[in-house]
Amino acid sequence: MRGSVMRGGGGWRAKPARGRMMRVWRSLTAAALAGAIALGAAIGVQGPAVSAATPARPSDFNGDGFIDLAVGTTATIGSQPFAGSVAVVYGTGSTLDPAKRQRIDQSLSWVPGSPGAEDGFGGALASADFNADGYADLAVCTPGESEHGYKFFGSLSLLFGSSGGLKRAIRLTANCHELATADFNRDSFPDLAIVGAEEVRIMSGGPDVVRLPIPLQLIGPVGLDLIRKAPAVGDMTGDGYPDLVYVAQVPQGARLLLFRGSRDGLESLFADIVVTQDVDATAIADVDGDGFADLAAGSARSNVGGREEAGRVRVYYGSAAGLDRNRGVTMITQDTPGVPGAPEAGDLFGLDLAFGDANGDRKPDLAIAAPYEDLGSKSNAGMVTVIPGGSSGLDFARAKGITQDTAGVPGAAEAKDLFGSALVFRDFNRDGRAELVVSTRNENAGEGSVTVLVGTTTGVGGAGRFPVLGPRSLGITGELPYFGSALSR
């Protein structure tokens, strides 16, 4: 059984009816949209500029050198269902400590805005130290936010780190469904790509991002004939500047658009375009070690051997010119030799993707989510496939499938759990091997949970010292929180 979902920044939320969103946006003229953004830029809490310092690592919100974890939920706030919240669990350098936590939502006095039904605060999350003050910040999408009477206009909240954690915020009006961060011009201030269904904008990092107004650069094609989604960042052209790739969905398929980073920032016009099938998720890493980052694109609704929505992943290789047409494409399905399982209708293999180095060999491993995988009679229990990196690329012979029935993985696989709802790699214990974070958004009939699997010399292992995180352990109450709907990128 599959629900209607929308991926956002590695996260998931109830998908609004396309017709409803289109009617809203068709009522906005270009002038009205520009005016709305200008007005939105005047909303928020003012703050002083700060001087540049060494940027904190992403997700180190209190600057103690330990990586923390931010998790999105669809929790009810007050009487507002699916208003959304963000749970932050702080790291200790060896694990995550549920006793050191924050719950953040728009009912708090320091968070601009107010909770609204179906707002989805926390629908997508991304972290970087945007003002380079030594404390990581958190960007939060609220894709269902009403602005100036228009539902699903959306907003972006920037939560700023401090020695006490996330304590101060500003809010911008923005069409915000997914997020990605990179220092596109290498000025030591990370930048933010804000991807909405109708437009993509870039926020340049710097000391002044702590106060409004903040200019947002519009990039790429505009118009209502495209749906924009699934951003990923990395240096695909090998020039030392991170590039941005996102998906422009059209009725007949999708277009992968590549925008170059440069000393002047991200270029406004795309430098390369590839026609492909519908794409749900993307991730970028240099899988073959040639100095050009490569793109993995998950087409979860792709048919495989006549099995509808079994799903596949394509790997496109980088080059100085962009996507390398001469290399061809590596196709990955559950029919690929070495890949566990078998393609079945409705598996949605490739619905989320993540790259990370789980065994510390400095070669990126690829995690592929199939949250609707059936395990025997347990329908939609979910599975994650991890394909290790090798000396010349992905090593399919060492691929393994991970479920909640795998030894060392907490819990037990159950029907409709959706293990693999969202994925991200993070090195929480500072051993040079990244942990794999896996959310199970429908665990316990909609409560949701997040599991951290330890990176070991042989790859992704069990939970080790990491606790299973869930709404009860973090003091989150209310109906259907779907804990793990999004994970911070």
Side-chain angles (χ1 to χ4, degrees):
M1 182 181 73
R2 296 189 304 277
S4 180
V5 295
M6 172 182 278
R7 178 181 177 276
W12 305 49
R13 61 179 292 272
K15 183 178 180 180
R18 177 64 180 159
R20 182 180 182 188
M21 180 178 283
M22 290 296 288
R23 286 195 298 272
V24 168
W25 277 85
R26 288 189 191 283
S27 66
L28 282 172
T29 65
L33 179 58
I37 291 172
L39 284 171
I43 301 172
V45 179
Q46 301 294 319
V50 296
S51 59
T54 301
R57 290 187 295 170
S59 297
D60 181 9
F61 302 120
N62 57 2
D64 62 359
F66 307 144
I67 301 302
D68 314 313
L69 179 65
V71 179
T73 86
T74 62
T76 296
I77 306 299
S79 61
Q80 304 299 314
F82 302 103
S85 68
V86 176
V88 178
V89 185
Y90 285 87
T92 66
S94 59
T95 186
L96 294 168
D97 185 358
K100 296 173 61 179
R101 65 182 190 248
Q102 277 185 281
R103 173 177 171 164
I104 302 169
D105 61 64
Q106 288 180 301
S107 71
L108 299 180
S109 60
W110 62 273
V111 180
S114 58
E118 299 183 350
D119 275 359
F121 179 84
L125 306 169
S127 177
D129 186 0
F130 299 115
N131 58 348
D133 65 349
Y135 303 100
D137 311 311
L138 184 65
V140 181
C141 277
T142 309
E145 190 98 63
S146 295
E147 292 291 347
H148 316 295
Y150 299 106
K151 187 64 174 172
F152 302 118
F153 191 102
S155 69
L156 169 70
S157 297
L158 297 178
L159 314 182
F160 295 104
S162 71
S163 60
L166 298 169
K167 295 293 186 182
R168 187 167 56 84
I170 60 175
R171 176 173 169 268
L172 298 79
T173 298
N175 187 213
C176 187
H177 291 154
E178 301 184 58
L179 299 164
T181 65
D183 186 1
F184 295 118
N185 59 359
R186 296 182 58 191
D187 65 351
S188 298
F189 292 99
D191 310 309
L192 179 67
I194 308 161
V195 178
E198 314 302 339
E199 64 177 22
V200 177
R201 291 181 180 266
I202 305 300
M203 183 195 80
S204 296
D208 291 333
V209 297
V210 297
R211 57 189 176 195
L212 298 168
I214 298 174
L216 301 178
Q217 172 196 1
L218 181 66
I219 69 163
V222 297
L224 299 174
D225 55 336
L226 304 174
I227 300 175
R228 298 147 187 84
K229 60 180 181 177
V233 294
D235 184 10
M236 295 198 67
T237 56
D239 61 359
Y241 294 94
D243 308 310
L244 170 69
V245 173
Y246 70 79
V247 177
Q249 189 70 40
V250 296
Q252 299 79 23
R255 310 290 185 264
L256 294 167
L257 304 182
L258 184 148
F259 298 80
R260 288 179 182 268
S262 73
R263 63 182 300 175
D264 297 319
L266 203 66
E267 297 178 356
S268 297
L269 301 178
F270 60 83
D272 201 359
I273 180 171
V274 171
V275 177
T276 186
Q277 291 182 319
D278 185 12
V279 174
D280 300 279
T282 58
I284 291 178
D286 185 2
V287 299
D288 56 2
D290 65 353
F292 300 99
D294 310 305
L295 171 71
S299 296
R301 292 167 178 80
S302 178
N303 297 342
V304 178
R307 287 153 289 198
E308 294 185 357
E309 299 188 341
R312 70 179 73 229
V313 176
R314 295 175 174 85
V315 178
Y316 300 87
Y317 295 93
S319 73
L323 299 172
D324 190 346
R325 306 298 197 277
N326 297 323
R327 289 283 302 274
V329 177
T330 296
M331 196 77 68
I332 307 171
T333 74
Q334 288 181 296
D335 265 344
T336 300
V339 174
E344 300 168 318
D347 279 351
L348 298 188
F349 178 81
L351 195 57
D352 200 14
L353 304 171
F355 275 117
D357 180 9
N359 61 0
D361 64 356
R362 299 187 179 182
K363 298 178 177 63
D365 311 315
L366 175 61
I368 304 173
Y372 293 90
E373 178 86 25
D374 297 341
L375 301 177
S377 62
K378 304 167 187 174
S379 63
N380 303 337
M383 181 170 80
V384 176
T385 298
V386 178
I387 305 174
S391 58
S392 58
L394 296 173
D395 187 352
F396 295 101
R398 294 190 292 140
K400 68 178 181 179
I402 301 171
T403 74
Q404 287 181 296
D405 283 340
T406 299
V409 177
E414 299 172 311
K416 303 179 183 178
D417 272 354
L418 306 184
F419 179 79
S421 299
L423 307 171
V424 71
F425 280 101
R426 286 285 185 272
D427 185 8
F428 295 108
N429 59 11
R430 303 179 297 165
D431 64 355
R433 298 185 290 268
E435 280 67 58
L436 176 61
V437 185
V438 183
S439 78
T440 309
R441 69 184 295 269
N442 205 42
E443 183 88 67
N444 296 328
E447 280 193 8
S449 68
V450 170
T451 302
V452 180
L453 302 177
V454 177
T456 73
T457 55
T458 58
V460 176
R465 300 179 59 184
F466 287 87
V468 176
L469 304 174
R472 297 184 191 182
S473 66
L474 300 178
I476 296 174
T477 59
E479 297 181 0
L480 299 176
Y482 292 116
F483 185 84
S485 294
L487 299 172
S488 177
R489 298 289 181 175

mmCIF file of all heavy atoms in Angstrom, residues 127-144:
data_model
loop_
_atom_site.group_PDB
_atom_site.id
_atom_site.type_symbol
_atom_site.label_atom_id
_atom_site.label_comp_id
_atom_site.label_asym_id
_atom_site.label_seq_id
_atom_site.Cartn_x
_atom_site.Cartn_y
_atom_site.Cartn_z
ATOM 1 N N SER A 127 21.666 21.964 6.872
ATOM 2 C CA SER A 127 22.500 22.667 7.839
ATOM 3 C C SER A 127 23.820 23.107 7.228
ATOM 4 O O SER A 127 24.434 22.394 6.421
ATOM 5 C CB SER A 127 22.784 21.769 9.050
ATOM 6 O OG SER A 127 23.654 22.416 9.961
ATOM 7 N N ALA A 128 24.249 24.293 7.627
ATOM 8 C CA ALA A 128 25.580 24.833 7.325
ATOM 9 C C ALA A 128 25.771 26.049 8.220
ATOM 10 O O ALA A 128 24.800 26.597 8.761
ATOM 11 C CB ALA A 128 25.708 25.222 5.856
ATOM 12 N N ASP A 129 27.004 26.479 8.364
ATOM 13 C CA ASP A 129 27.291 27.684 9.152
ATOM 14 C C ASP A 129 27.269 28.876 8.197
ATOM 15 O O ASP A 129 28.306 29.346 7.731
ATOM 16 C CB ASP A 129 28.652 27.535 9.827
ATOM 17 C CG ASP A 129 28.968 28.685 10.786
ATOM 18 O OD1 ASP A 129 28.125 29.588 10.926
ATOM 19 O OD2 ASP A 129 30.069 28.663 11.376
ATOM 20 N N PHE A 130 26.062 29.357 7.907
ATOM 21 C CA PHE A 130 25.880 30.348 6.848
ATOM 22 C C PHE A 130 26.603 31.665 7.130
ATOM 23 O O PHE A 130 27.014 32.354 6.201
ATOM 24 C CB PHE A 130 24.390 30.609 6.616
ATOM 25 C CG PHE A 130 23.624 29.397 6.174
ATOM 26 C CD1 PHE A 130 22.638 28.843 6.984
ATOM 27 C CD2 PHE A 130 23.892 28.796 4.957
ATOM 28 C CE1 PHE A 130 21.927 27.725 6.588
ATOM 29 C CE2 PHE A 130 23.200 27.673 4.546
ATOM 30 C CZ PHE A 130 22.215 27.130 5.367
ATOM 31 N N ASN A 131 26.731 32.042 8.393
ATOM 32 C CA ASN A 131 27.417 33.295 8.735
ATOM 33 C C ASN A 131 28.821 33.067 9.280
ATOM 34 O O ASN A 131 29.473 34.009 9.735
ATOM 35 C CB ASN A 131 26.590 34.115 9.723
ATOM 36 C CG ASN A 131 26.300 33.364 11.012
ATOM 37 O OD1 ASN A 131 26.529 32.159 11.100
ATOM 38 N ND2 ASN A 131 25.789 34.067 12.007
ATOM 39 N N ALA A 132 29.308 31.826 9.231
ATOM 40 C CA ALA A 132 30.688 31.486 9.604
ATOM 41 C C ALA A 132 31.078 32.031 10.972
ATOM 42 O O ALA A 132 32.162 32.584 11.152
ATOM 43 C CB ALA A 132 31.662 31.969 8.531
ATOM 44 N N ASP A 133 30.195 31.852 11.949
ATOM 45 C CA ASP A 133 30.497 32.323 13.305
ATOM 46 C C ASP A 133 30.958 31.192 14.218
ATOM 47 O O ASP A 133 31.126 31.388 15.417
ATOM 48 C CB ASP A 133 29.285 33.027 13.907
ATOM 49 C CG ASP A 133 28.091 32.105 14.125
ATOM 50 O OD1 ASP A 133 28.121 30.952 13.620
ATOM 51 O OD2 ASP A 133 27.116 32.526 14.784
ATOM 52 N N GLY A 134 31.159 29.990 13.654
ATOM 53 C CA GLY A 134 31.604 28.858 14.445
ATOM 54 C C GLY A 134 30.490 27.997 14.991
ATOM 55 O O GLY A 134 30.756 27.018 15.707
ATOM 56 N N TYR A 135 29.229 28.318 14.644
ATOM 57 C CA TYR A 135 28.076 27.535 15.065
ATOM 58 C C TYR A 135 27.228 27.219 13.833
ATOM 59 O O TYR A 135 26.849 28.125 13.077
ATOM 60 C CB TYR A 135 27.216 28.300 16.076
ATOM 61 C CG TYR A 135 27.964 28.742 17.309
ATOM 62 C CD1 TYR A 135 28.413 30.057 17.435
ATOM 63 C CD2 TYR A 135 28.236 27.847 18.327
ATOM 64 C CE1 TYR A 135 29.109 30.466 18.562
ATOM 65 C CE2 TYR A 135 28.929 28.251 19.468
ATOM 66 C CZ TYR A 135 29.362 29.566 19.576
ATOM 67 O OH TYR A 135 30.055 29.967 20.691
ATOM 68 N N ALA A 136 26.930 25.944 13.626
ATOM 69 C CA ALA A 136 26.116 25.570 12.472
ATOM 70 C C ALA A 136 24.690 26.087 12.633
ATOM 71 O O ALA A 136 24.152 26.159 13.745
ATOM 72 C CB ALA A 136 26.107 24.051 12.303
ATOM 73 N N ASP A 137 24.094 26.457 11.528
ATOM 74 C CA ASP A 137 22.718 26.933 11.483
ATOM 75 C C ASP A 137 21.843 25.879 10.814
ATOM 76 O O ASP A 137 22.339 24.938 10.188
ATOM 77 C CB ASP A 137 22.654 28.247 10.705
ATOM 78 C CG ASP A 137 23.706 29.249 11.174
ATOM 79 O OD1 ASP A 137 23.804 29.464 12.393
ATOM 80 O OD2 ASP A 137 24.452 29.771 10.316
ATOM 81 N N LEU A 138 20.530 26.030 10.938
ATOM 82 C CA LEU A 138 19.589 25.083 10.343
ATOM 83 C C LEU A 138 18.574 25.831 9.495
ATOM 84 O O LEU A 138 17.896 26.739 9.982
ATOM 85 C CB LEU A 138 18.866 24.288 11.434
ATOM 86 C CG LEU A 138 17.914 23.197 10.945
ATOM 87 C CD1 LEU A 138 18.675 22.089 10.230
ATOM 88 C CD2 LEU A 138 17.110 22.622 12.115
ATOM 89 N N ALA A 139 18.485 25.458 8.215
ATOM 90 C CA ALA A 139 17.458 25.993 7.321
ATOM 91 C C ALA A 139 16.264 25.049 7.338
ATOM 92 O O ALA A 139 16.434 23.833 7.241
ATOM 93 C CB ALA A 139 18.009 26.137 5.906
ATOM 94 N N VAL A 140 15.080 25.615 7.476
ATOM 95 C CA VAL A 140 13.856 24.835 7.635
ATOM 96 C C VAL A 140 12.814 25.292 6.623
ATOM 97 O O VAL A 140 12.447 26.474 6.584
ATOM 98 C CB VAL A 140 13.282 24.988 9.063
ATOM 99 C CG1 VAL A 140 12.021 24.154 9.231
ATOM 100 C CG2 VAL A 140 14.323 24.594 10.105
ATOM 101 N N CYS A 141 12.331 24.360 5.818
ATOM 102 C CA CYS A 141 11.219 24.654 4.902
ATOM 103 C C CYS A 141 9.886 24.453 5.612
ATOM 104 O O CYS A 141 9.712 23.499 6.380
ATOM 105 C CB CYS A 141 11.249 23.716 3.699
ATOM 106 S SG CYS A 141 12.363 24.182 2.370
ATOM 107 N N THR A 142 8.946 25.342 5.324
ATOM 108 C CA THR A 142 7.549 25.169 5.720
ATOM 109 C C THR A 142 6.731 25.250 4.439
ATOM 110 O O THR A 142 6.186 26.300 4.084
ATOM 111 C CB THR A 142 7.117 26.257 6.724
ATOM 112 O OG1 THR A 142 8.064 26.308 7.797
ATOM 113 C CG2 THR A 142 5.734 25.970 7.293
ATOM 114 N N PRO A 143 6.641 24.159 3.685
ATOM 115 C CA PRO A 143 6.099 24.224 2.321
ATOM 116 C C PRO A 143 4.619 24.530 2.229
ATOM 117 O O PRO A 143 4.156 25.033 1.207
ATOM 118 C CB PRO A 143 6.411 22.833 1.751
ATOM 119 C CG PRO A 143 6.609 21.971 2.941
ATOM 120 C CD PRO A 143 7.170 22.833 4.007
ATOM 121 N N GLY A 144 3.854 24.263 3.287
ATOM 122 C CA GLY A 144 2.422 24.513 3.219
ATOM 123 C C GLY A 144 2.002 25.858 3.783
ATOM 124 O O GLY A 144 0.806 26.142 3.896
#
